[in-house]
Structure formats: structure tokens, C-alpha cells
């Protein structure tokens, strides 16, 4: 819990109000960073519709398994989604404190009518670095 205290009122004309502390940037979660990284592979043209995260551990490693469902609507976005399909398995992600140990395409669905649409489901295993 954080309390914000008002700046003090000047006691005389020579005193100046104390400056407020600069706002800290909001820290993004690992899940948000992962979503941004996956969407960046598709030129930012898709949307994450579902994101599930489950803890994962082995004898020597701990991390999380992420399942993302993405949707690409319109011909340009579908092309970008197909680029994602080609790049994802071999892409070297840069997520601070995490190592993407595995990235798999689980499901792909194409629709043509009423407009081009590509739905993709991917799974990624992140290990704590």
C-alpha cells in the first residue's frame, strides 16, 4: 500500500513547494512482455484473444508454460500471421530474466468468408534465468 502525501505549503515567500516525485513507470509482467514479443513477430497486426499460464517445473528448472490464442483479421494481418508461423519455432526471444526453452505451433485455422481470418494457438515454455 502506498500513500501519497500532498506537497507542503510554503511558510514564506522564499520557500518553494516541494516537487512531487517522478512517477515510476508501470512494470509489465512476464506475460505482457511475452504477448508483446509474439505480436512483434507478426508486425503487431494480430490480437491475443486468450492467454493461459501454468507453472512448470522439473528437477533442475522452474518456469511457466504459456498458451496463447491469436487472431489475425484482414489479408494484411493474415499474411503477418503466416510470417509468425514461419518465424516462431526458431525465434530467439529477449525477455528479461526468462529463457524461452520451447515454442510450438499447436493449432492453425483459416477462414475466408466473410473476411480473411487466421486463428493460431501457440505454446511457449519459459524458464527462469
Amino acid at each position: 500500500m502506498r500513500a501519497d502525501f500532498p506537497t507542503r505549503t510554503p511558510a514564506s515567500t522564499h520557500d518553494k513547494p516541494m516537487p512531487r516525485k517522478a512517477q515510476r513507470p508501470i512494470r509489465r509482467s512476464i506475460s505482457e512482455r511475452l504477448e508483446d514479443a509474439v505480436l512483434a513477430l507478426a508486425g503487431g497486426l494480430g490480437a491475443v484473444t486468450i492467454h493461459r499460464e501454468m507453472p512448470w517445473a522439473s528437477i533442475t528448472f522452474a518456469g511457466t508454460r504459456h498458451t496463447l490464442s491469436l487472431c489475425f483479421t484482414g489479408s494484411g494481418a493474415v499474411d503477418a500471421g503466416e510470417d509468425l508461423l514461419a518465424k516462431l519455432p526458431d525465434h530467439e526471444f529477449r525477455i528479461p530474466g526468462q529463457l524461452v526453452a520451447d515454442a510450438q505451433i499447436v493449432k492453425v485455422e483459416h477462414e475466408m468468408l466473410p473476411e480473411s481470418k487466421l486463428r493460431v494457438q501457440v505454446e511457449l515454455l519459459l524458464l527462469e534465468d
Side-chain angles (χ1 to χ4, degrees):
M1 181 178 218
R2 182 177 167 217
D4 287 327
F5 297 101
T7 57
R8 69 180 173 98
T9 307
S12 71
T13 56
H14 298 290
D15 288 339
K16 294 181 180 175
M18 291 174 49
R20 286 190 71 128
K21 267 189 169 177
Q23 295 288 331
R24 289 184 185 174
I26 297 173
R27 290 182 57 175
R28 294 182 312 148
S29 70
I30 293 168
S31 295
E32 291 169 325
R33 290 173 191 258
L34 179 62
E35 286 180 13
D36 290 347
V38 170
L39 288 174
L41 278 176
L45 296 177
V48 176
T49 56
I50 298 171
H51 185 161
R52 289 188 302 263
E53 177 181 344
M54 292 183 54
W56 181 92
S58 70
I59 293 173
T60 54
F61 298 104
T64 50
R65 181 167 296 280
H66 296 258
T67 302
L68 282 76
S69 295
L70 303 114
C71 185
F72 301 90
T73 304
S75 61
V78 168
D79 290 342
E82 290 173 350
D83 285 344
L84 168 75
L85 295 174
K87 296 175 186 174
L88 182 75
D90 298 321
H91 183 70
E92 300 255 348
F93 289 90
R94 289 184 174 82
I95 300 172
Q98 302 291 310
L99 170 70
V100 178
D102 187 33
Q104 296 181 9
I105 298 152
V106 178
K107 187 176 183 181
V108 178
E109 295 177 349
H110 281 275
E111 289 180 26
M112 298 306 288
L113 296 174
E115 63 183 327
S116 296
K117 194 174 283 193
L118 174 66
R119 288 190 176 93
V120 178
Q121 184 177 2
V122 298
E123 284 188 359
L124 299 106
L125 176 62
L126 276 66
L127 301 178
E128 295 171 3
D129 197 15

